[in-house]
Amino acid sequence: MENKLLEIKKCECGKQHFLSTEKIVVSDNAFSLMLDFICEKKYRSILFFDDEKSENEVEFSNKMKISNIAFKIKTIENCFATEYLAKTIENDDSEIVVVFGKEELISVCKYYCALYEKQIIICPIGNFTDFTFSSFSRLYDGVCFCFYKTVSPLAIFVNVTEKANKFQTYYLSSKFIALFDNEFAKLVFKQETCPRLSDFFSKTMKDYILKNNMSLSEKNVWTLIRLGQAMTFFDETKYFYGGDKLVLDVLQSLSKNGDFLELETIALKIIVSSYDCFLKNPHNYNVANLNLHIKHISELYKIPQTETIKRMGDSKILLPDEKTRNSFGNFQPYLRQFFQTTMSKVFKIQTTFCIVENVLKKNNFCGEKVKRAFSVSATFSKKPTLLGLIMAYGFMDKLFE
């Protein structure tokens, strides 16, 4: 697949959409094809990143020597994706950056490239995800994980195997929570979005469910690429995530070495249960005690309360007005039915695999720690989700008791 250039100068939403990734390859020999692409481009110098020494590093070195291309190799083992790490990488005169590694390394390198105005070619391995293929990096800022606008990959090469990554499969099922929360935000908070984005996202997930002309592994990879490229094209990330990501962000902040996709399985289970219970019986509105939330977040993250206040979401989301609450009451029967329909698609995907790994034990999470993470998860939200309304109705306050 070659994009070359995709641009919409006049969209219904009033924004200009732009995508410039030149080449996307999904193949069982993607790494070798990436090396051929580099040589065809006739680069003079290359900075190559990986997160462990491997045979691919040797293949890269030999290919560059044969092609008389100057190169440097930088290995960052056990990469923890932080803004600080990206800034510590010394700038050099390399013409292009090439990355072979996990999502964390790619996020760091994209940020590095944005700092020094370099282009990047990626070949992800392991538990990569949709934003891996976007112009955004997800980095830890010392308190929590945030998205940063960086650079879009010039070219993408992905090895595909017969065995699908089950955590990627579960992760893709979480996108239906995002579709539900987008509908919730539109109806209850009257949030409008680009109609092209809305149609694209819905169609992509519908195709993922229905398309059976390729292996599950290929479907996973192509769907993640489509979603990541859409984030770049529409210059947007939050529309692609629902309330589960709010829980996931806190879980990973409390277990910084925890795997993004593995922890998503826990976040998704919590969200499905809480959304289902709340939609069945939302009870009466009881104003959330924000002071209590500020106190507990400060204790959990070990940060000053002033820092907590600075990061909190909009008051319109955390404490919705009467008009918004009435709107939810009017749409609650429809949203409940919409959620049930959405969940049938989630469960259809999840039955493909059975996750046997004990993710909670692996990350040293006890029940109390998970409860505390869930109780504060909606406080930093910049997007209206049903989880935020659950908090606004005072249900999170009960978890502090």
Side-chain angles (χ1 to χ4, degrees):
M1 172 181 175
E2 293 193 21
N3 288 342
K4 292 298 183 185
L5 179 67
L6 183 58
E7 182 177 16
I8 300 178
K9 291 184 177 180
K10 292 183 179 180
C11 180
E12 296 94 316
C13 67
K15 295 182 179 179
Q16 179 178 350
H17 303 307
F18 181 84
L19 187 65
S20 58
T21 299
E22 288 188 11
K23 195 175 187 68
I24 300 174
V25 174
V26 177
S27 170
D28 57 2
N29 64 334
F31 186 81
S32 296
L33 294 174
M34 180 182 72
L35 298 183
D36 293 339
F37 175 79
I38 292 170
C39 295
E40 290 169 8
K41 284 286 189 177
K42 298 180 180 180
Y43 292 114
R44 297 185 301 274
S45 57
I46 295 174
L47 179 58
F48 179 83
F49 285 89
D50 62 6
D51 46 21
E52 62 179 23
K53 295 185 181 298
S54 65
E55 293 180 0
N56 296 91
E57 189 177 297
V58 176
E59 184 180 352
F60 170 82
S61 299
N62 292 337
K63 187 79 172 183
M64 295 305 103
K65 289 175 182 176
I66 293 172
S67 303
N68 293 318
I69 300 174
F71 66 92
K72 298 177 184 176
I73 296 177
K74 188 171 182 62
T75 302
I76 304 178
E77 296 181 347
N78 302 315
C79 179
F80 180 50
T82 65
E83 184 181 7
Y84 174 78
L85 175 59
K87 289 180 176 179
T88 61
I89 300 173
E90 185 179 355
N91 185 26
D92 65 11
D93 58 357
S94 296
E95 190 176 357
I96 188 81
V97 171
V98 178
V99 188
F100 174 76
K102 299 181 178 64
E103 154 45 42
E104 291 81 4
L105 179 63
I106 293 173
S107 272
V108 167
C109 291
K110 284 194 292 186
Y111 190 96
Y112 164 78
C113 288
L115 286 176
Y116 300 111
E117 299 181 344
K118 295 178 182 292
Q119 290 185 317
I120 187 170
I121 296 171
I122 65 171
C123 186
I125 57 173
N127 281 1
F128 54 84
T129 183
D130 47 3
F131 57 83
T132 304
F133 306 104
S134 75
S135 57
F136 295 88
S137 292
R138 183 174 179 269
L139 305 171
Y140 184 70
D141 69 0
V143 177
C144 56
F145 288 86
C146 305
F147 281 116
Y148 295 80
K149 183 67 183 292
T150 55
V151 298
S152 180
L154 173 69
I156 294 167
F157 295 83
V158 188
N159 275 316
V160 62
T161 60
E162 289 299 319
K163 187 176 180 181
N165 185 317
K166 54 192 171 185
F167 289 109
Q168 286 175 339
T169 306
Y170 264 63
Y171 174 74
L172 283 167
S173 75
S174 76
K175 294 302 174 182
F176 286 100
I177 297 294
L179 289 174
F180 169 81
D181 275 324
N182 292 338
E183 183 76 358
F184 166 81
K186 182 180 73 173
L187 296 176
V188 178
F189 283 83
K190 312 304 178 187
Q191 278 207 347
E192 296 297 329
T193 191
C194 174
R196 289 177 182 264
L197 170 55
S198 178
D199 292 343
F200 174 85
F201 193 15
S202 298
K203 185 178 185 304
T204 297
M205 295 315 301
K206 182 179 179 180
D207 288 346
Y208 180 73
I209 290 284
L210 298 177
K211 191 173 291 184
N212 296 311
N213 60 345
M214 60 177 68
S215 69
L216 180 60
S217 182
E218 288 178 302
K219 279 207 302 184
N220 283 356
V221 171
W222 278 114
T223 304
L224 291 172
I225 291 173
R226 282 174 59 82
L227 293 175
Q229 290 277 280
M231 291 177 190
T232 301
F233 188 67
F234 294 103
D235 197 25
E236 172 74 76
T237 57
K238 63 178 181 291
Y239 194 79
F240 295 91
Y241 298 101
D244 54 300
K245 184 181 175 295
L246 303 177
V247 179
L248 169 60
D249 283 346
V250 182
L251 290 174
Q252 195 168 18
S253 295
L254 299 178
S255 179
K256 298 178 184 61
N257 293 322
D259 184 273
F260 179 90
L261 293 183
E262 290 182 8
L263 290 174
E264 168 61 35
T265 63
I266 305 303
L268 185 57
K269 289 175 183 177
I270 293 172
I271 284 297
V272 169
S273 298
S274 58
Y275 277 26
D276 185 51
C277 291
F278 184 73
L279 287 168
K280 285 178 180 176
N281 192 8
H283 297 290
N284 296 322
Y285 180 67
N286 183 20
V287 181
N289 186 340
L290 291 187
N291 289 329
L292 193 60
H293 281 261
I294 292 169
K295 176 179 179 293
H296 279 268
I297 290 172
S298 298
E299 293 173 352
L300 189 64
Y301 282 92
K302 297 180 174 59
I303 58 174
Q305 293 191 6
T306 52
E307 179 69 20
T308 301
I309 295 170
K310 185 171 67 176
R311 291 171 176 269
M312 290 175 69
D314 194 305
S315 60
K316 292 179 182 179
I317 297 176
L318 300 179
L319 297 174
D321 57 23
E322 184 177 359
K323 182 180 179 181
T324 301
R325 300 196 303 272
N326 289 337
S327 181
F328 170 68
N330 293 334
F331 286 109
Q332 186 255 334
Y334 165 76
L335 287 170
R336 180 182 174 186
Q337 182 58 48
F338 186 77
F339 180 75
Q340 295 299 329
T341 303
T342 302
M343 286 305 95
S344 66
K345 298 172 183 175
V346 172
F347 296 140
K348 182 177 181 179
I349 296 172
Q350 291 187 356
T351 53
T352 308
F353 282 114
C354 177
I355 298 292
V356 296
E357 289 86 345
N358 190 330
V359 178
L360 290 176
K361 184 177 180 181
K362 181 178 179 180
N363 291 276
N364 297 316
F365 276 113
C366 61
E368 180 63 26
K369 196 172 181 180
V370 173
K371 183 183 80 170
R372 292 175 69 197
F374 177 59
S375 66
V376 303
S377 55
T379 314
F380 292 157
S381 177
K382 301 297 188 291
K383 170 186 176 178
T385 66
L386 187 64
L387 183 63
L389 202 65
I390 293 173
M391 172 195 161
Y393 271 59
F395 285 89
M396 301 305 193
D397 293 11
K398 299 177 180 180
L399 298 175
F400 297 139
E401 298 173 356

